Amino acid sequence: MSESTTDTMGLTHQYSTQVAADLETNLKEQERLGGDIAALQQQLAALQHDHSVLVNIQQALGVTQTTKEPTPSTETAAVPSPRQKAKSAPRSKQATRKSTAAQEGTTAKKSTAAPERTTAKKPTAKSETKAAQPTLVGLIRSHLSEQDEPRSAAEISAALGQAHPERDIKTKVVRVTLEGLVARSQAQRTKQGSSVFYTAPETETAPPAEAQPEDSTS
């Protein structure tokens, strides 16, 4: 027990000595900082006194207090707006160029598409020309009205084939068409032996009796 008590007392003395040393160091540091603060306060007070003296001298001389020079930020604040406008101009030009290029591309596509439309309309034009051509019945009737003598189906077919080489006129079709005209009293049929001949009806060869009075009255 005596040894433990001695050890405890030794540690307590050691700790108390260390704490006392730390406290002394702390107090010295506080005194040093306090002295520095006092010196700085004195320097600040001296500067403030000098400032007030200088201001009084300036006022006594009648010189107005000069303002601070403008900072570079205030000068450069007005500069970016023209520069940004100058930069925006090329961008707008590029946008217009792109828009014009797009318009030219669309017009080029339309111009290239125009021939396709015209070619698409060509079949319709051909169909219209075909529709405008006279029918085989009309050709046969007009041919018979122009003839003074009876004609056979072969002769009529050969004459129409020469007059209209673009059309495939066959004798059998012409004969069937002639028989249809005879059935409708739009053509006359006569036989000479085994051959059959066709002529225009008599009503079409002679002019109508009422046509002359109408012409005389007109």
Side-chain angles (χ1 to χ4, degrees):
M1 295 294 293
S2 60
E3 291 180 358
S4 60
T5 303
T6 304
D7 294 336
T8 302
M9 290 177 65
L11 291 173
T12 302
H13 179 70
Q14 184 178 357
Y15 286 148
S16 62
T17 303
Q18 184 66 34
V19 169
D22 292 339
L23 287 172
E24 186 178 1
T25 303
N26 193 332
L27 290 173
K28 288 181 180 181
E29 189 67 19
Q30 289 182 10
E31 291 177 357
R32 185 183 67 80
L33 292 176
D36 294 339
I37 292 171
L40 291 173
Q41 288 179 350
Q42 289 179 359
Q43 292 178 2
L44 178 60
L47 291 172
Q48 291 176 351
H49 177 71
D50 294 339
H51 180 267
S52 61
V53 171
L54 292 173
V55 170
N56 292 330
I57 294 172
Q58 190 178 33
Q59 292 177 355
L61 294 174
V63 179
T64 58
Q65 186 177 0
T66 57
T67 58
K68 293 182 180 180
E69 294 181 357
T71 58
S73 61
T74 57
E75 292 180 356
T76 56
V79 175
S81 58
R83 290 180 180 175
Q84 290 177 355
K85 291 180 180 179
K87 291 180 180 179
S88 63
R91 291 180 182 177
S92 61
K93 290 181 180 179
Q94 291 178 355
T96 53
R97 289 177 182 175
K98 289 181 180 179
S99 62
T100 52
Q103 292 177 356
E104 290 177 356
T106 53
T107 53
K109 290 180 180 179
K110 290 180 179 179
S111 62
T112 53
E116 294 179 355
R117 293 180 180 176
T118 54
T119 54
K121 291 180 180 180
K122 285 181 179 180
T124 58
K126 290 182 179 179
S127 62
E128 290 178 358
T129 55
K130 289 181 180 179
Q133 292 179 357
T135 60
L136 182 60
V137 175
L139 292 175
I140 293 173
R141 292 183 62 185
S142 62
H143 180 74
L144 291 176
S145 64
E146 294 173 356
Q147 303 301 318
D148 297 333
E149 297 179 355
R151 298 291 179 181
S152 65
E155 291 175 346
I156 296 171
S157 177
L160 294 178
Q162 291 178 359
H164 302 280
E166 72 279 359
R167 301 183 65 168
D168 187 11
I169 299 174
K170 295 181 180 181
T171 305
K172 291 182 180 180
V173 179
V174 172
R175 184 178 293 107
V176 173
T177 305
L178 287 168
E179 292 296 329
L181 292 174
V182 171
R184 294 194 298 270
S185 298
Q186 295 179 358
Q188 291 182 352
R189 179 177 60 185
T190 59
K191 285 187 178 182
Q192 295 180 4
S194 61
S195 300
V196 180
F197 296 93
Y198 300 91
T199 58
E202 294 180 355
T203 56
E204 292 185 359
T205 56
E210 296 179 356
Q212 294 178 355
E214 290 178 358
D215 294 336
S216 62
T217 55
S218 62

